[in-house]
Every structure is written in C-alpha cells, then in structure tokens.
Amino acid sequence: MTDCIFCKIVAGDIPSSKILETENTLAFLDISPVNKGHVLVIPKEHYETLTDIPDDLLSLVVKDMKKVAVAVMMATKADGYNIQMNNYASAGQVVMHAHFHIVPRFKGDGFELWPGREYECGEAESVMDDIKSEVK
Amino acid sequence: MTDCIFCKIVAGDIPSSKILETENTLAFLDISPVNKGHVLVIPKEHYETLTDIPDDLLSLVVKDMKKVAVAVMMATKADGYNIQMNNYASAGQVVMHAHFHIVPRFKGDGFELWPGREYECGEAESVMDDIKSEVK
C-alpha cells in the first residue's frame, strides 16, 4: 500500500535496522523500543491484522519470528520476552500493517501485565457459549 | 507433565470453559480475564515457551488461534484484540506451558501499552548487529 510506512520499509523507501529478511518476512528494530532489542516481525505483503494473513504465510512469519526471538534473547541477554500483537486501533495498533512485537524482558524492568478480574457466577459459561457459537 | 495445570486441563482433570478443541490445540477462557472473553490458546502437548514448540505444531496452533480470535471479536463485540505471549517468568509467564492470550479490547477500556523509549545515536546499529549475529 502506497501510504503504509511498513510497506515503504519493505520497499526500502524508508530506512530500518533490519534483523532478518526472507522471501516473506521482514524483522527490524522498533524505533521506539520498550527495551533495547525490541523487534517487529511483519509479513512483507500488506495485511492489516492477524486474521487477514493467510494461514500459509502466517506459518512462515511465525517460524521466522521464533528464530528472531532466540537471537533477541541471546544478543540482549534477556531473561524472557513478550510476543505482542495489537489488532485494530482500540488495541493500540498504530501502523495498520500486521506486526508482531518481540519485547526482551529483564528481571526488575518494571513492566506490568494488565490485571485480571473475576467472572461472576454463571458469567463464564455464558461468555463461553457466546464465543463457541461464533467459531466457524 | 504431571504437575502442569494446563496439562491437567487438557487431560480433563481440571475443569475449564473450553472454546475450541482440535487434535493439537485447546482454547479456553482465562479464569482471570483482563476483559470478558479473554481466551488462552495452547498446544495440547507440553512445551514451555514459544521457541520450544515445533514449527509444524505451531502452525496448527496459530491457525486455530485465528479462528478463535474472530469468534472472540464477534461474540464480545470487541473493537480490537491483543495477542500476547509471555515467555519465561521475567516476562510474566506464570504457567510454564506455552500459551497465547487473546484479549478483546473496547474503546476506552483504559489498558495502556508499555511506553517506548529512544535509542541514542549509533545505539540502534549496535543492537541490530548484536541480534543479527545471533540469527541462526
């Protein structure tokens, strides 16, 4: 897409710190890292969100993401890492070209996960039934 | 693994609100949801983190995850969703059986992503080189 910043990075029209490039996948440093070594992994072809990416392509992207995750851990000497994908603006997606974040994590780096709540009595069953009925 | 809570859920020894079960994958409600409809997707076989899951199995799990993500969006009428995977304790992994979170998101639900920082001059190139040298 002509107005997509990640498509421009794929095309080489915008510079990036490339970590891995294959036929289908590009991995490059996030320019605004949560921790140093924070990498984005994208399908080179433009798809907006996770569910838009065809299964065969997604398999290749995720396989490459595993490789990069190992390299991030080794290079940054991280104690762990988060994989995150924000789908749609309400989930924090800013660039509308599907991308996985690999965020290296370190003991005591202070980033907190969102808190969980509790279902009321019978509520989980109702939510479960609603979701199951939508699985195609 | 005998002491793994998710293996016990797979075996049926601990109850869960199952959304989808295939030969290789199980999806069920997180009992402590960030938002209602928060689902966990796991390979039924025990693997600790993302990079431990064999590529072929991961492809199947991710394919099923896409299906469930669509169903979560439809059933909860969410405006978006996050995919999150916490690998190792320092990244917030509590159950050491690899699992993807699907967190439905709603406009104004108030959950913030972690803030990004900036690389100093020349630092990104150095980090890039370190990670690239570890990609196998």
Side-chain angles (χ1 to χ4, degrees):
Chain A
M1 279 181 72
T2 51
D3 61 346
C4 169
I5 191 168
F6 287 174
C7 285
K8 286 178 182 170
I9 284 175
V10 169
D13 296 334
I14 292 178
S16 68
S17 300
K18 292 186 184 177
I19 302 296
L20 175 71
E21 181 163 12
T22 66
E23 190 184 342
N24 300 288
T25 306
L26 184 65
F28 54 99
L29 291 185
D30 192 312
I31 58 167
S32 184
V34 169
N35 275 325
K36 287 175 198 172
H38 177 167
V39 171
L40 303 181
V41 182
I42 67 170
K44 288 162 82 169
E45 200 172 342
H46 185 90
Y47 293 100
E48 195 159 328
T49 70
L50 173 70
T51 57
D52 299 316
I53 306 172
D55 291 336
D56 290 353
L57 175 58
L58 184 59
S59 295
L60 296 168
V61 172
V62 168
K63 189 174 163 181
D64 289 331
M65 181 170 74
K66 275 175 63 176
K67 271 192 208 175
V68 176
V70 171
V72 167
M73 284 280 283
M74 297 296 287
T76 64
K77 297 181 174 52
D79 303 307
Y81 61 98
N82 299 102
I83 298 293
Q84 179 135 4
M85 189 180 206
N86 310 323
N87 294 281
Y88 301 101
S90 294
Q93 186 173 7
V94 177
V95 178
M96 300 311 288
H97 182 133
H99 54 288
F100 290 94
H101 296 256
I102 303 173
V103 180
R105 297 291 307 280
F106 303 89
K107 278 179 194 144
D109 66 12
F111 296 110
E112 299 287 341
L113 300 177
W114 297 325
R117 300 164 189 199
E118 280 188 24
Y119 284 110
E120 291 168 25
C121 182
E123 195 181 28
E125 290 72 12
S126 166
V127 171
M128 173 185 71
D129 288 342
D130 288 348
I131 300 175
K132 278 172 74 171
S133 74
E134 295 289 353
V135 176
K136 308 298 177 203
Chain B
M1 281 181 71
T2 52
D3 61 346
C4 170
I5 191 169
F6 287 175
C7 285
K8 286 179 181 168
I9 283 175
V10 169
D13 296 334
I14 292 178
S16 67
S17 300
K18 293 186 184 177
I19 301 296
L20 175 71
E21 180 164 13
T22 66
E23 189 184 341
N24 300 288
T25 306
L26 184 65
F28 54 99
L29 291 186
D30 191 313
I31 57 167
S32 184
V34 169
N35 275 325
K36 288 176 198 171
H38 177 168
V39 172
L40 303 181
V41 183
I42 67 171
K44 288 162 83 171
E45 200 171 344
H46 185 90
Y47 293 99
E48 195 159 326
T49 70
L50 174 70
T51 57
D52 299 315
I53 307 173
D55 290 337
D56 289 352
L57 175 58
L58 184 58
S59 295
L60 297 168
V61 172
V62 168
K63 189 175 163 180
D64 289 331
M65 181 170 74
K66 275 175 61 176
K67 269 190 209 176
V68 177
V70 171
V72 167
M73 283 281 283
M74 296 296 288
T76 64
K77 298 181 173 52
D79 303 308
Y81 61 98
N82 299 102
I83 298 293
Q84 180 135 5
M85 189 181 206
N86 309 322
N87 293 281
Y88 301 101
S90 294
Q93 187 174 6
V94 177
V95 178
M96 299 311 286
H97 182 132
H99 53 289
F100 290 94
H101 297 256
I102 303 173
V103 180
R105 296 292 306 282
F106 304 89
K107 277 179 194 143
D109 65 12
F111 297 109
E112 299 287 342
L113 300 178
W114 297 325
R117 299 163 189 200
E118 280 189 24
Y119 284 110
E120 291 168 26
C121 182
E123 195 181 27
E125 290 72 12
S126 166
V127 170
M128 174 185 70
D129 288 342
D130 289 348
I131 300 176
K132 278 172 72 172
S133 73
E134 296 288 354
V135 175
K136 308 296 179 205

